[in-house]
Amino acid sequence: MPFKFNLIYTALFAGSLSFGAYADTTEYAGENKDFSATAVESLAQIDVNADYLQQIGYHALGTSSVSKVDVPIIDTPTTVNVVTTKLLEDRKPRDLVDALASVSGVSQANTLGGIFDAVQKRGFGGNRDNSIMRNGMQAGPSHNFGATTETVEVLKGPASVLYGIQDPGGIINVISKKPQQEAKHSISASLGNNNMWGTQLDSTGGLGEGFAYRFIYDKQEKDYWRNFGKIQTTTYAPSLSWQNERTQVLLAYEHLDYSQPFDRGTQLVNGQVVDIPASRRLDEPNNQTKGKTDNIQVKLEHKLNDQWKLNFAYAYARDKYNYRQTRVVAVNTSHSDNLSYKSGNTSRTLAPRTALRRLEKQAADQRLHSASLNLVGEFSLGDIANRFIIGADASRNYRTTGPVYNNGGWSSINIDNPVYTSPDAKETVAANNWQINNIKTLGLYIQDTAYLTERLIVTGGLRYEYFDQVAGRHAIGKNFVPNTDQHDGKLLYQFGSVYKFSPNWATYANYAESFRPQYSIANKVDAGLAPEQGKSVEIGTKYESENINATLALFNINKRNVAETDSNGDVYIAGKQRSRGLEVDINGYLTRDLSLSATYTYTKVKNIANDAYPAAIGKQLIGVPEHQAALFLSYELGHFLHGDWRLGAGARYLGSWNAYTSNYKTAYKIPDAVIYDAFLAYDTKIGGQKLSLQLNGKNLSDKVYYQSTSGNADSYIVPISLGYGREVFLNAKVEF
């Protein structure tokens, strides 16, 4: 579908829904009625311009914490999306990428066999890209979505002025459940196919003298949907808060133990997925990852007076894991001819219908310390009201990978009748045994939002970021000699404006910048090599009311100083990339009983210059669909059989995307897919306590679909990640 046609069609569609929402708002606000049992007690209390986030079903309005300043979403000249608590409860996503299916402009990147939260935003980003936040603080790269998650916020476009080193696509902020003064307790249990079972405890309440606590325990287990593997997770999350009229303090800790298959998916050979059942793996049953994450956060907010408050935060995140894999490096899909394989000093001949594998083991430990101090306030200069922030933040992100075992242990397996042996990796590549990446940052930033008139709002911000980065590798017993050793600084700025046609409807425009220093563990990086830089222009319109919000955005991002590696192993500036697109997000109530979450995305992201690989110029970046869409509806069926019933269903459209062999020699088109989900919920009371039953079905048609590449491509195969198979499960929760 041509881009121009998409633009016109989507704008008309969003406009018609906004008009309908306005009509509904007038009717329901006048009658002061709830839209559902989860809505606020009175819509008359809803304030689009509130300085806190309000949730009404799938609809969120007011102020999002991802913007750091107490500026309502409708007054910000950027796209901010919120996945509400209710939408998460209804959809029951299994991970962060699944949770973001109801947000435009995001897609999965390489998850390293399922370990990482790897998300592309507007075509940019990947694993370990610093874009995942927990409660506004930089998080580790792995398993950030789970039982403690309350909402997920997404800030689109370059965010370096507020968050430092970033790719230009945006950031994702996972908001955790906090202690509450009102006592609330729940016990949950779940059962499903693939031998799924789970249990959860969530308890919160006041302790007196301003103290409150929360404790969450969650344990989940199931068989992997493919022909072997098991997923096990256990979470412990205590937190404590204290507050008085001026000060709030929060101390939170979360620990996760996990064990899961290390699965790079299936293989693309000569443009075709290997012709075996999607459930059949060509690696080994001992391809397993075991790991743990720890997250500590300390937050302090102190009101200096009615206009100013001081915020301090410290976060520690650790992700430690080890995995074993029998990595598929070539597949001969022919029924009659042999295949010659050669890589470095390794040569093999593959018989027909055979896969060649190589053993690999790896351990890693990443520790991240970050701290932030800022002053937020409101003041007037004449008739101009200002919402202002000035702050500083610092971080130390230290990652070690090793020991690494990835040489020897070559084996083959028949792809039609595999015989698994669970071999172990023994040999070591000395030059690649230990890998290190250590980066320290210090940033100073300032931003002001000025209300020039009742309708015109202007926002501007500046940041200076200093970084010190060392990366490289060495063998056991050898001295570490870095391949990357840089320290430098960068000044960045952003500017935007909002014009409000009414308190509910605004149009906006912004310009923003991002940067990311170059680094390489394996190859030499010149200390003076310029960092990657992103520059973005975005225009859009927003509509917010008591029952619905809608955003339409058009963006253009240019990314320069994209680096490649030359034949000598040196990193150099080689290219430029550009992302252009359109996004639509609509969330809320269409009628009293019918709610929806709807998105559409068009993203055209491509190489516009590449000195290393001219064949890449003009090609869509790997793993980014041009078209994506999602629609999820829920309906209040009413009260019968002694309880309240709700029904919901939805579909996601994942458009086709490109995969490439090494050096962009060959491009393959990965097919599109539609995935269907549904749920049925029943709420009642037994013995005065609330009982909730919910039956969920995910990927109901058991569609085979592909989400991203899952490793480095070469001339023989391209590994691609498979989407999860059909799941059906029942959850029961008692609240007291």
Side-chain angles (χ1 to χ4, degrees):
M1 186 181 293
F3 176 76
K4 185 176 180 181
F5 178 79
N6 275 322
L7 172 60
I8 297 171
Y9 177 83
T10 311
L12 290 173
F13 177 67
S16 66
L17 278 180
S18 297
F19 178 80
Y22 181 81
D24 284 343
T25 300
T26 305
E27 177 184 352
Y28 288 129
E31 295 178 1
N32 192 29
K33 293 182 179 178
D34 289 348
F35 286 99
S36 77
T38 60
V40 291
E41 292 183 357
S42 172
L43 289 180
Q45 298 175 3
I46 296 299
D47 180 8
V48 172
N49 294 300
D51 60 357
Y52 56 93
L53 188 69
Q54 302 167 94
Q55 298 185 56
I56 313 100
Y58 298 170
H59 172 33
L61 71 166
T63 300
S64 164
S65 63
V66 76
S67 299
K68 285 194 176 181
V69 196
D70 296 334
V71 177
I73 293 173
I74 197 168
D75 291 351
T76 59
T78 54
T79 298
V80 177
N81 302 120
V82 179
V83 185
T84 66
T85 303
K86 191 60 180 177
L87 186 54
L88 293 175
E89 289 176 349
D90 286 350
R91 290 194 56 247
K92 294 284 191 294
R94 65 178 65 88
D95 55 31
L96 185 59
V97 171
D98 193 10
L100 293 169
S102 55
V103 175
S104 65
V106 298
S107 57
Q108 181 174 293
N110 178 12
T111 64
L112 188 65
I115 298 175
F116 293 142
D117 297 323
V119 186
Q120 297 176 119
K121 291 78 56 184
R122 292 183 171 175
F124 295 119
N127 58 51
R128 298 193 184 107
D129 67 355
N130 305 325
S131 69
I132 310 296
M133 307 287 160
R134 279 179 178 248
N135 306 307
M137 303 295 289
Q138 192 177 142
S142 177
H143 294 79
N144 286 292
F145 179 86
T148 63
T149 302
E150 183 170 72
T151 60
V152 182
E153 304 173 335
V154 182
L155 174 63
K156 302 284 186 60
S160 283
V161 166
L162 290 178
Y163 289 97
I165 294 171
Q166 294 290 329
D167 270 318
I171 65 164
I172 296 159
N173 190 28
V174 179
I175 304 296
S176 302
K177 298 173 182 177
K178 306 295 191 303
Q180 305 293 323
Q181 287 291 337
E182 181 183 356
K184 293 182 179 180
H185 318 282
S186 68
I187 298 175
S188 305
S190 58
L191 290 171
N193 66 332
N194 297 323
N195 294 315
M196 174 194 295
W197 68 271
T199 184
Q200 185 182 118
L201 168 69
D202 186 351
S203 177
T204 187
L207 297 172
E209 304 295 330
F211 286 94
Y213 80 94
R214 192 159 197 159
F215 178 74
I216 297 172
Y217 168 81
D218 180 80
K219 186 173 182 63
Q220 304 292 326
E221 184 173 310
K222 62 183 176 182
D223 293 336
Y224 193 45
W225 73 277
R226 301 186 76 189
N227 61 328
F228 49 77
K230 185 178 287 291
I231 299 173
Q232 299 170 309
T233 62
T234 304
T235 301
Y236 305 88
S239 56
L240 182 69
S241 67
W242 176 83
Q243 67 178 52
N244 60 19
E245 292 182 355
R246 289 192 174 274
T247 305
Q248 297 181 37
V249 181
L250 173 69
L251 173 62
Y253 172 69
E254 180 177 337
H255 175 82
L256 168 70
D257 288 304
Y258 64 90
S259 177
Q260 65 187 54
F262 187 96
D263 182 15
R264 290 193 182 271
T266 188
Q267 294 76 35
L268 193 69
V269 179
N270 297 324
Q272 300 292 326
V273 175
V274 176
D275 54 339
I276 58 176
S279 62
R280 183 179 301 159
R281 295 175 62 175
L282 299 180
D283 45 22
E284 290 288 338
N286 66 350
N287 272 37
Q288 194 78 6
T289 301
K290 293 185 178 181
K292 62 181 181 179
T293 66
D294 292 283
N295 288 276
I296 300 173
Q297 289 199 336
V298 180
K299 290 202 162 190
L300 174 109
E301 177 186 301
H302 179 68
K303 292 183 179 179
L304 302 174
N305 51 45
D306 290 341
Q307 285 76 44
W308 294 91
K309 65 180 179 180
L310 188 67
N311 300 304
F312 169 78
Y314 165 78
Y316 169 78
R318 185 182 187 186
D319 179 32
K320 186 176 182 180
Y321 65 85
N322 62 80
Y323 70 78
R324 176 191 288 108
Q325 68 163 320
T326 302
R327 184 169 187 165
V328 178
V329 296
V331 181
N332 184 1
T333 58
S334 171
H335 288 270
S336 58
D337 298 326
N338 290 337
L339 173 70
S340 295
Y341 171 88
K342 182 175 177 58
S343 178
N345 296 323
T346 301
S347 297
R348 293 286 189 279
T349 298
L350 278 72
R353 309 296 291 172
T354 299
L356 180 65
R357 293 103 49 87
R358 186 190 68 191
L359 294 174
E360 180 177 318
K361 286 202 304 186
Q362 188 177 111
D365 192 354
Q366 181 167 348
R367 305 185 190 197
L368 170 63
H369 297 268
S370 59
S372 173
L373 178 67
N374 60 60
L375 179 68
V376 178
E378 299 180 4
F379 62 90
S380 296
L381 294 175
D383 295 330
I384 301 175
N386 295 266
R387 284 174 166 164
F388 175 84
I389 183 171
I390 184 170
D393 52 39
S395 70
R396 180 181 185 269
N397 194 334
Y398 186 74
R399 172 168 60 93
T400 61
T401 303
V404 177
Y405 302 91
N406 63 357
N407 189 28
W410 294 89
S411 65
S412 60
I413 192 170
N414 185 288
I415 67 175
D416 296 314
N417 297 289
V419 176
Y420 304 108
T421 59
S422 293
D424 199 3
K426 300 297 183 183
E427 298 182 47
T428 301
V429 176
N432 195 36
N433 196 258
W434 290 95
Q435 303 174 354
I436 295 172
N437 184 25
N438 185 13
I439 183 166
K440 303 173 186 177
T441 68
L442 175 63
L444 304 173
Y445 60 91
I446 184 171
Q447 180 174 290
D448 184 47
T449 298
Y451 289 72
L452 301 182
T453 70
E454 290 184 354
R455 296 181 180 271
L456 182 60
I457 306 165
V458 175
T459 297
L462 287 169
R463 181 187 188 95
Y464 180 79
E465 180 91 347
Y466 174 82
F467 68 90
D468 188 326
Q469 180 176 226
V470 174
R473 64 187 185 185
H474 67 94
I476 293 176
K478 301 294 184 180
N479 293 328
F480 172 65
V481 178
N483 285 313
T484 301
D485 190 355
Q486 294 179 313
H487 54 273
D488 202 351
K490 180 67 179 175
L491 182 67
L492 303 124
Y493 67 96
Q494 64 184 30
F495 176 82
S497 63
V498 175
Y499 184 81
K500 302 179 79 169
F501 300 105
S502 71
N504 303 92
W505 182 27
T507 186
Y508 69 93
N510 75 66
Y511 168 84
E513 297 181 339
S514 70
F515 92 110
R516 169 179 287 280
Q518 312 285 356
Y519 88 94
S520 176
I521 288 174
N523 301 297
K524 182 66 176 177
V525 177
D526 185 272
L529 198 64
E532 286 187 354
Q533 292 180 254
K535 296 184 178 182
S536 169
V537 175
E538 178 181 345
I539 60 173
T541 185
K542 302 179 183 181
Y543 179 86
E544 286 189 353
S545 68
E546 293 93 336
N547 64 304
I548 204 164
N549 63 46
T551 302
L552 169 66
L554 292 165
F555 61 88
N556 183 95
I557 303 173
N558 288 310
K559 183 178 179 181
R560 61 189 177 93
N561 299 338
V562 178
E564 299 284 359
T565 304
D566 64 18
S567 58
N568 297 320
D570 295 330
V571 177
Y572 71 105
I573 302 300
K576 300 178 182 179
Q577 296 170 345
R578 183 180 67 205
S579 177
R580 288 177 174 173
L582 174 149
E583 296 169 349
V584 179
D585 293 89
I586 305 167
N587 294 279
Y589 289 88
L590 295 179
T591 70
R592 170 189 296 274
D593 297 318
L594 180 63
S595 57
L596 95 159
S597 173
T599 72
Y600 169 73
T601 305
Y602 172 83
T603 307
K604 186 65 176 178
V605 55
K606 62 183 181 180
N607 291 285
I608 57 175
N610 194 315
D611 295 338
Y613 306 119
I617 297 173
K619 288 186 171 66
Q620 182 86 347
L621 294 193
I622 190 168
V624 184
E626 286 193 7
H627 299 278
Q628 293 184 90
L631 175 66
F632 197 84
L633 300 166
S634 65
Y635 188 76
E636 305 283 344
L637 294 173
H639 184 89
F640 54 92
L641 297 178
H642 308 290
D644 297 316
W645 293 79
R646 297 178 65 242
L647 176 68
R652 291 181 290 135
Y653 173 72
L654 183 67
S656 62
W657 49 274
N658 287 352
Y660 305 95
T661 55
S662 57
N663 303 338
Y664 291 86
K665 292 178 180 177
T666 309
Y668 301 128
K669 184 72 72 174
I670 308 302
D672 59 1
V674 179
I675 302 96
Y676 300 98
D677 300 336
F679 79 93
L680 177 65
Y682 172 72
D683 295 331
T684 189
K685 286 191 175 181
I686 295 180
Q689 309 301 326
K690 183 179 178 182
L691 170 66
S692 301
L693 300 174
Q694 184 167 315
L695 180 67
N696 279 78
K698 300 181 72 65
N699 191 8
L700 287 171
S701 64
D702 206 19
K703 177 70 175 179
V704 176
Y705 65 102
Y706 311 101
Q707 294 183 281
S708 65
T709 56
S710 54
N712 298 325
D714 59 27
S715 58
Y716 290 91
I717 63 169
V718 180
I720 52 176
S721 171
L722 285 156
Y724 218 88
R726 178 167 48 225
E727 287 188 294
V728 179
F729 52 93
L730 176 67
N731 180 266
K733 180 168 71 172
V734 178
E735 299 178 65
F736 54 96

